[in-house]
Amino acid sequence: MASYVRQGNDSDGISKDPNGDSGITFDGEVFKVHEGMLKLPSPAKLKAQNTRILAIFVFFAAMAGWMQKLPEFLTFAISAPIALLVALILVLKLGGKRLSAYYISFILPAIMKQCGKSFDRVRTELLKSMRGNVLDFGSGGAEYLQYAVKVSAGSVTKYVAMEPNVNHRKTIEAQVRKHKPDFPVDIVHQFVEDYQGKALFDWIILGNVLCEVPNPPAALRELDRLLKPGGRVYFSEHVREEDGTWAATLQDWFKVPWEIVSDGCCCNRRTLEVIRSSVPNWTLRNWTFHTPVGPPILRRFEVGIAVKAE
């Protein structure tokens, strides 16, 4: 099986539902989410993608000592790509936050677009009741704006794209021109702790953003301040694999270099547990996906809805 989904919430733990046809009732609404909703590449494309990814990891393994035992021409063939990758890491590390932010503003929209293709049906289902004032926290290139436009027809009254990285502004503006929303879109280049007000938003979107936040518990408490009682939070985050698995070990090994090349993305964060412990007044319903697409360190996703207590 290419992927699977587990369902769970704060009251009944984890339950399996292979098809999801019956749906799950949460906060008075039925959600039908199942593994068949993931849009995956064809087997040939998937094999080609994973072969390239495996090659990168083999290159890293070669750094551990293989090169000393290989003929000179093979050593060069392996070490050259490694040298380029190491050079990139050093440039981003020495160049500081401004350089890495500029670099990621070109890379991130493409990554999010590919991720969006895989999870499009899941997002559409979970965001089908979006309404009122919406905060897209750490919006990147505003990939989620299209879902607000889909459901709008007057349902969404305001959309705030909060993205501290100013280099994403042109991409966000392009999304606005493309989707032509019938509601105002505010682009805010600031951190959540600097955003004034209380109980301002009916919906908050967390789309692969908590992996990059330096202090997730503090950020979540600030988001709770901005969320209205009874408001909803959509979250989709790649998370740490289960302890003792080879994938979790890889995540630990590659944590530091990955943070450098991805402008601070932490690949082994226990995000679901962090949400539950940081904002106990949110009730969660989550679906756990394992997808064969992408690097092995970014294949487990927690996707779901949270509701703030009245």
Side-chain angles (χ1 to χ4, degrees):
M1 186 175 294
S3 62
Y4 76 85
V5 57
R6 296 188 305 177
Q7 301 171 349
N9 64 17
D10 290 337
S11 59
D12 64 3
I14 297 294
S15 62
K16 292 186 178 180
D17 185 358
N19 300 312
D21 294 331
S22 59
I24 293 293
T25 301
F26 179 67
D27 193 32
E29 185 173 2
V30 177
F31 295 99
K32 296 183 178 181
V33 177
H34 54 89
E35 64 181 10
M37 299 174 80
L38 283 184
K39 182 179 180 180
L40 302 176
S42 66
K45 288 185 177 180
L46 183 62
K47 183 178 180 180
Q49 288 180 12
N50 288 339
T51 298
R52 290 193 294 269
I53 292 169
L54 179 61
I56 293 173
F57 279 87
V58 168
F59 288 146
F60 271 108
M63 296 179 66
W66 287 1
M67 289 187 292
Q68 297 180 4
K69 300 180 181 180
L70 294 175
E72 185 175 345
F73 73 94
L74 286 180
T75 300
F76 175 79
I78 291 179
S79 61
I82 295 175
L84 291 174
L85 183 57
V86 171
L88 173 62
I89 292 175
L90 289 175
V91 167
L92 292 175
K93 184 67 174 177
L94 296 176
K97 195 68 177 176
R98 179 176 296 182
L99 178 60
S100 61
Y102 183 76
Y103 155 80
I104 204 66
S105 68
F106 290 97
I107 304 300
L108 184 60
I111 296 174
M112 290 302 297
K113 185 176 181 180
Q114 181 58 49
C115 183
K117 288 181 180 179
S118 298
F119 283 92
D120 178 63
R121 292 177 61 193
V122 176
R123 294 177 179 180
T124 299
E125 175 67 11
L126 294 178
L127 293 169
K128 61 187 178 183
S129 297
M130 198 184 334
R131 59 178 175 77
N133 293 338
V134 178
L135 172 63
D136 188 349
F137 174 64
S139 63
E143 185 69 24
Y144 281 90
L145 177 62
Q146 60 183 303
Y147 299 99
V149 173
K150 281 183 182 180
V151 303
S152 185
S155 297
V156 175
T157 54
K158 183 180 181 180
Y159 192 97
V160 176
M162 181 180 289
E163 176 50 60
N165 187 347
V166 297
N167 296 301
H168 283 293
R169 188 176 189 90
K170 290 184 178 180
T171 305
I172 299 173
E173 291 174 342
Q175 288 280 15
V176 174
R177 290 192 298 270
K178 176 181 178 181
H179 296 293
K180 299 179 175 58
D182 61 358
F183 46 82
V185 177
D186 290 348
I187 305 174
V188 178
H189 296 303
Q190 63 184 118
F191 294 100
V192 64
E193 60 267 26
D194 299 323
Y195 199 86
Q196 300 299 310
K198 186 177 181 181
L200 301 175
F201 295 99
D202 301 280
W203 273 79
I204 293 178
I205 297 173
L206 304 177
N208 293 310
V209 63
L210 292 178
C211 59
E212 297 183 25
V213 175
N215 188 341
L220 286 163
R221 287 189 288 269
E222 292 291 342
L223 291 170
D224 181 62
R225 168 178 62 85
L226 296 175
L227 185 64
K228 295 179 181 179
R232 287 186 181 181
V233 178
Y234 165 88
F235 58 91
S236 176
E237 301 284 344
H238 63 79
V239 300
R240 178 179 174 80
E241 296 281 356
E242 294 183 6
D243 290 338
T245 62
W246 68 271
T249 300
L250 280 178
Q251 288 175 323
D252 293 339
W253 284 354
F254 287 97
K255 177 180 181 295
V256 174
W258 181 256
E259 285 181 344
I260 296 173
V261 300
S262 62
D263 192 33
C265 173
C266 180
C267 64
N268 64 349
R269 187 165 281 172
R270 305 176 192 271
T271 301
L272 190 63
E273 291 85 346
V274 172
I275 296 175
R276 286 192 172 120
S277 62
S278 302
V279 276
N281 59 326
W282 292 5
T283 302
L284 274 65
R285 166 62 70 177
N286 66 288
W287 288 262
T288 305
F289 285 91
H290 279 81
T291 171
V293 180
I297 59 175
L298 302 176
R299 290 190 177 178
R300 178 178 176 178
F301 285 81
E302 294 292 349
V303 185
I305 297 287
V307 179
K308 181 177 178 177
E310 295 279 1

